[in-house]
């Protein structure tokens, strides 16, 4: 099986796609506004101890307090040996309100729930995971050869530092003692720095941040079974080579840079349409059948249907082939959408026992490729297949979408950040194939605000990338997911359409709202174009006469008459 990792770096987000045999199976997205916290280590303060829940809430400096369950609260270091019998400890036996403790985020905050934390710290390297405070050596279950498992266990025991345990990672298969030693030395020094920082810092404070998305993928997923890693940012490409110099120099020849002036990297691999499909409820199969994916608070249900597939022999064969194809696609969609928790699959009823067993086996085999722990529990009495998948972060649709304001939350639309990135891509594609000096586009005001950015920073960046003038008009009547191309032409032609007012013009306008950052002023609009009226912040709802003092590309200043 061929495997590639494709990385798209933009100033708004970094996206990492994993393809197997040319098919997209995983997509990870990191944005500056939504940095991942899983893996980070904090010094926190215990705020509440809840005996009824056998848990505590810990302030680690995030928006919501983190959740610490009693099993995760049991200390592992020697200085805590005077505590009661920890096998039967309650939450009050191991933590108290006001206590400062070092914890690691095991699970991202999701929805209204805070992060889940643990006192059992782990520090991942390329080949090994260091576990401070325990005396244990383990080997990844994905390394199946008994001889190789024993060799790695022996090597790990020989390099294991005192007072810490080690887990040998899957990527260590075939590694020698020198490579493992290098990992241990690095991780032991890192742990010493964290301890020194924890002794001095007051809670809440960050003790250690895990690597960013791209370098984390290089550390955790870029191994001998990956044929190619392609990055469209020269700066990030150089960073990856520097990391590989230290960790896996033999893999540097598999890293490629995709020049920014060429066709967009995700377009080359056809990834954008696959991401859009991954947000849809219905997924069509090649045979003509389809699956329907519905998420609820409690679980995710997946229904299989024959659709347009009518088969060629008999009903049992048609049903079997549809279910077999659906099983593989279901495993791919679960990985791609990053669905966690309980999953129930309703395959089409199969009367033949052998067919049921083969479909179940196909689902299990496809699920083994998933790096996130996935269990296929088997068939229920109702003929449903139950699955569980570890939930550690937001699913893909939670990252890319938000609750739809047009239907009161019953559905979803693309988020402003996602739409802003999409519009930027569309504008760049349009301007690449035109000799026009300028363009005018119309979008929803919230999308326009992101495209323009603070002080026009994002707009300047877009113009720098395209070499053209870009005029952006916000219109509240424009659908959040729509971009209207209003004009292409010379600067004068486009500006005439983009600016509906001019300096010295007198108008009668309705004050719609106070200025967001300067409430003394009021905001009015002319065809979606913002007019900032000095001193009109207390006249919201009134119609006033104004004179335009100055007209800019994205707004105008006016004074009351």
């Amino acid at each position: 099986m061929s495997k590639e990792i494709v990385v798209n770096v933009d100033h708004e987000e970094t996206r990492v796609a994993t393809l197997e045999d040319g098919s997209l199976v995983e997509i990870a997205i990191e944005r500056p506004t939504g940095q991942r916290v899983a893996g980070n280590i904090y010094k926190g303060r215990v705020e509440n101890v809840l005996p009824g829940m056998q848990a505590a809430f810990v302030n680690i400096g995030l928006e919501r307090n983190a959740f610490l369950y009693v099993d995760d609260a049991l200390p592992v270091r020697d200085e805590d040996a005077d505590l009661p019998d920890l096998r039967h400890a309650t939450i009050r036996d191991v933590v108290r309100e006001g206590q400062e403790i070092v914890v690691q985020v095991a699970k991202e905050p999701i929805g209204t729930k805070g992060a889940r934390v643990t006192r059992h710290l782990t520090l991942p390297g390329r080949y090994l995971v260091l576990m401070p405070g325990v005396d244990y050596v383990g080997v990844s279950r994905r390394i199946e050869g008994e001889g190789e498992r024993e060799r790695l266990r022996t090597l790990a025991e020989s390099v294991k530092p005192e007072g810490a345990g080690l887990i040998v990672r899957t990527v260590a298969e075939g590694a020698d003692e020198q490579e493992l030693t290098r990992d241990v030395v690095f991780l032991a020094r890192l742990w010493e720095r964290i301890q020194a920082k924890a002794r001095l810092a007051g809670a809440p404070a960050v003790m250690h941040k895990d690597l960013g998305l791209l370098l984390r993928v290089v550390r955790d997923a870029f191994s001998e079974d990956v044929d190619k890693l392609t990055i469209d940012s020269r700066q990030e490409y150089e960073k990856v080579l520097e990391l590989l110099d230290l960790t896996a120099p033999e893999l540097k020849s598999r890293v490629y840079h995709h020049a920014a002036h060429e066709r967009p990297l995700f377009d080359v691999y056809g990834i954008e349409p696959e991401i859009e499909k991954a947000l849809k409820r219905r997924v069509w199969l090649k045979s003509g059948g389809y699956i329907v994916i519905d998420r609820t608070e409690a679980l995710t249900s997946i229904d299989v249907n024959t659709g347009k597939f009518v088969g060629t022999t008999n009903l049992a064969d048609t049903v079997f082939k549809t279910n077999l194809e659906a099983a593989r696609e279901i495993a791919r969609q679960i990985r791609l959408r990053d669905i966690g928790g309980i999953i129930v699959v309703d395959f089409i009823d199969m009367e033949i026992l052998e067919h049921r067993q083969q479909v179940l086996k196909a689902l299990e085999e496809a699920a083994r490729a998933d790096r996130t722990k996935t269990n296929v529990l088997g068939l229920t009495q109702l003929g449903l297949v139950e699955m569980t998948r570890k939930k550690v972060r937001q699913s893909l649709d939670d990252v890319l979408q938000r609750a739809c304001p047009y239907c009161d939350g019953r559905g979803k639309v693309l988020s402003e950040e996602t739409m802003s990135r999409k519009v930027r891509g569309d504008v760049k594609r349009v301007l690449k194939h035109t000799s026009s000096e300028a363009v005018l586009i119309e979008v929803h005001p919230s999308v326009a605000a992101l495209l323009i950015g603070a002080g026009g920073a994002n707009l300047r960046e877009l113009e720098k990338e395209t070499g053209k003038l870009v005029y952006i008009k916000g219109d509240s009547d424009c659908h959040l997911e729509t971009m209207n191309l209003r004009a292409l032409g010379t600067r004068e032609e486009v500006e005439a359409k983009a600016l509906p007012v001019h300096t010295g013009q007198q108008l009668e306008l309705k004050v719609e709202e106070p200025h967001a950052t300067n409430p003394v002023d009021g905001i009015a609009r002319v065809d979606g174009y913002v007019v900032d009226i000095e001193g009109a912040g207390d006249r919201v709802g009134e119609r006033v006469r104004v004179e335009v003092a100055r007209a800019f590309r994205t707004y105008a200043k006016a004074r009351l008459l």
Side-chain angles (χ1 to χ4, degrees):
M1 177 177 65
S2 67
K3 188 173 181 179
E4 290 188 52
I5 298 175
V6 181
V7 184
N8 166 234
V9 180
D10 188 270
H11 79 281
E12 291 181 338
E13 65 185 10
T14 297
R15 300 184 295 170
V16 178
T18 303
L19 298 98
E20 293 177 357
D21 290 334
S23 178
L24 180 66
V25 293
E26 290 181 17
I27 181 79
I29 299 171
E30 183 177 74
R31 291 169 173 157
T33 55
Q35 291 284 336
R36 163 190 159 111
V37 297
N40 291 358
I41 296 175
Y42 297 84
K43 187 173 186 179
R45 182 183 300 106
V46 179
E47 297 286 348
N48 307 97
V49 178
L50 308 174
M53 296 177 64
Q54 284 296 299
F57 285 101
V58 184
N59 179 6
I60 59 174
L62 300 182
E63 184 180 349
R64 290 183 294 274
N65 288 342
F67 181 81
L68 177 68
Y69 184 61
V70 63
D71 287 349
D72 296 319
L74 298 177
V76 294
R77 294 190 291 178
D78 294 340
E79 61 260 37
D80 293 313
D82 59 341
L83 287 168
D85 183 359
L86 298 181
R87 290 173 299 175
H88 307 290
T90 67
I91 190 66
R92 287 197 181 279
D93 294 327
V94 288
V95 294
R96 64 182 183 278
E97 290 183 6
Q99 181 182 356
E100 294 187 350
I101 56 176
V102 176
V103 294
Q104 185 172 33
V105 176
K107 188 175 177 182
E108 292 276 347
I110 299 175
T112 58
K113 298 178 181 177
R116 180 167 176 172
V117 294
T118 177
R119 295 176 79 181
H120 308 151
L121 310 184
T122 58
L123 294 173
R126 178 160 182 83
Y127 302 109
L128 301 168
V129 176
L130 183 74
M131 300 181 295
V134 302
D135 185 17
Y136 171 78
V137 171
V139 180
S140 167
R141 293 177 183 174
R142 290 180 179 267
I143 300 176
E144 297 179 352
E146 201 53 48
E148 178 65 2
R149 290 178 62 85
E150 193 56 42
R151 182 187 77 85
L152 289 170
R153 189 185 301 276
T154 302
L155 281 180
E157 287 174 347
S158 69
V159 301
K160 183 175 80 68
E162 188 175 345
L166 293 174
I167 295 175
V168 181
R169 307 186 74 180
T170 308
V171 73
E173 191 167 3
D176 58 30
E177 184 175 359
Q178 183 181 358
E179 290 169 317
L180 299 191
T181 301
R182 188 169 57 200
D183 235 20
V184 166
V185 170
F186 167 75
L187 294 172
R189 287 176 181 169
L190 176 60
W191 175 234
E192 287 173 6
R193 288 199 296 270
I194 293 170
Q195 286 179 299
K197 195 171 181 180
R199 283 191 288 269
L200 300 173
V206 182
M207 301 293 101
H208 166 70
K209 280 191 173 184
D210 201 4
L211 296 175
L213 174 60
L214 176 53
L215 296 185
R216 194 167 66 246
V217 166
V218 172
R219 180 192 69 193
D220 297 343
F222 187 43
S223 57
E224 289 290 342
D225 66 336
V226 178
D227 302 298
K228 190 176 179 183
L229 169 62
T230 308
I231 309 169
D232 65 3
S233 163
R234 170 62 66 175
Q235 185 179 3
E236 297 302 318
Y237 168 76
E238 298 290 351
K239 285 183 184 178
V240 168
L241 292 183
E242 287 177 15
L243 178 61
L244 290 174
D245 266 331
L246 300 173
T247 59
E250 71 279 2
L251 294 178
K252 288 176 64 178
S253 61
R254 303 187 187 193
V255 183
Y256 297 85
H257 174 246
H258 179 85
H261 66 271
E262 297 176 10
R263 188 180 169 201
L265 184 57
F266 271 31
D267 286 357
V268 172
Y269 283 86
I271 294 173
E272 299 286 8
E274 288 299 313
I275 295 175
E276 290 183 13
K277 288 179 186 176
L279 299 176
K280 295 184 183 298
R281 181 170 174 260
R282 179 175 296 190
V283 180
W284 287 97
L285 306 174
K286 291 180 181 178
S287 65
Y290 64 90
I291 60 176
V292 176
I293 303 173
D294 286 310
R295 288 184 60 216
T296 68
E297 286 288 329
L299 53 82
T300 299
S301 66
I302 303 177
D303 186 41
V304 182
N305 298 276
T306 54
K308 303 171 187 175
F309 183 49
V310 294
T312 55
T313 53
N314 55 57
L315 177 60
D317 184 64
T318 300
V319 167
F320 173 59
K321 287 181 178 178
T322 303
N323 282 339
L324 204 58
E325 185 184 6
R328 301 186 185 99
E329 183 62 24
I330 286 166
R332 185 179 83 94
Q333 289 293 329
I334 288 171
R335 287 178 67 188
L336 179 55
R337 297 172 187 238
D338 218 345
I339 297 171
I342 301 169
I343 303 164
V344 176
V345 183
D346 185 10
F347 285 106
I348 306 167
D349 290 340
M350 294 172 285
E351 295 182 0
I352 302 173
L353 177 61
E354 185 182 352
H355 285 178
R356 293 200 295 269
Q357 292 173 339
Q358 287 186 49
V359 168
L360 203 59
K361 184 180 178 182
L363 182 61
E364 290 170 345
E365 288 177 352
R368 283 196 199 105
D370 196 343
R371 290 187 297 132
T372 301
K373 187 176 180 182
T374 305
N375 295 315
V376 180
L377 305 176
L379 285 161
T380 68
Q381 291 181 340
L382 296 174
L384 306 174
V385 174
E386 291 182 333
M387 300 175 64
T388 62
R389 187 172 185 268
K390 190 175 181 182
K391 186 186 291 185
V392 294
R393 53 188 169 267
Q394 287 184 309
S395 62
L396 181 64
D397 60 350
D398 285 334
V399 172
L400 295 181
Q401 299 174 316
R402 69 177 182 89
C404 175
Y406 304 104
C407 62
D408 199 25
R410 292 190 301 273
K412 291 187 176 183
V413 294
L414 293 177
S415 68
E416 287 88 347
E417 293 89 347
T418 303
M419 191 59 198
S420 170
R421 184 197 57 75
K422 187 174 185 296
V423 170
R424 282 172 55 86
D426 291 343
V427 169
K428 284 192 275 188
R429 274 188 280 272
V430 168
L431 293 180
K432 189 175 182 180
H433 301 289
T434 180
S435 58
S436 298
E437 292 179 342
V439 63
L440 168 63
I441 61 168
E442 181 183 76
V443 292
H444 190 275
S446 58
V447 178
L450 286 176
L451 287 167
I452 294 168
N458 292 347
L459 182 58
R460 287 194 296 273
E461 180 71 21
L462 180 59
E463 291 181 331
K464 181 180 175 182
E465 291 174 6
T466 60
K468 312 274 184 163
L469 289 169
V470 181
Y471 291 80
I472 297 170
K473 180 180 178 182
D475 187 350
S476 56
D477 291 330
C478 188
H479 192 286
L480 191 64
E481 295 185 342
T482 299
M483 181 196 85
N484 297 319
L485 183 63
R486 290 303 185 197
L488 273 171
T490 66
R491 176 175 185 160
E492 293 75 19
E493 291 170 342
V494 174
E495 189 170 282
K497 295 180 180 179
L499 306 184
V501 303
H502 56 81
T503 302
Q505 184 177 3
Q506 294 187 2
L507 303 164
E508 184 177 307
L509 301 174
K510 181 180 179 181
V511 183
E512 296 178 4
E513 59 192 325
H515 193 288
T517 57
N518 181 19
V520 174
D521 288 357
I523 295 297
R525 289 180 176 84
V526 180
D527 295 332
Y529 180 76
V530 172
V531 179
D532 180 357
I533 307 172
E534 295 177 354
D538 60 349
R539 302 187 66 176
V540 174
E542 296 181 32
R543 296 194 67 83
V544 296
R545 283 197 61 78
V546 302
E547 181 179 0
V548 178
R550 186 96 181 266
F552 302 92
R553 289 177 53 198
T554 54
Y555 75 104
K557 292 285 287 185
R559 53 177 170 266
L560 291 166
L561 292 175

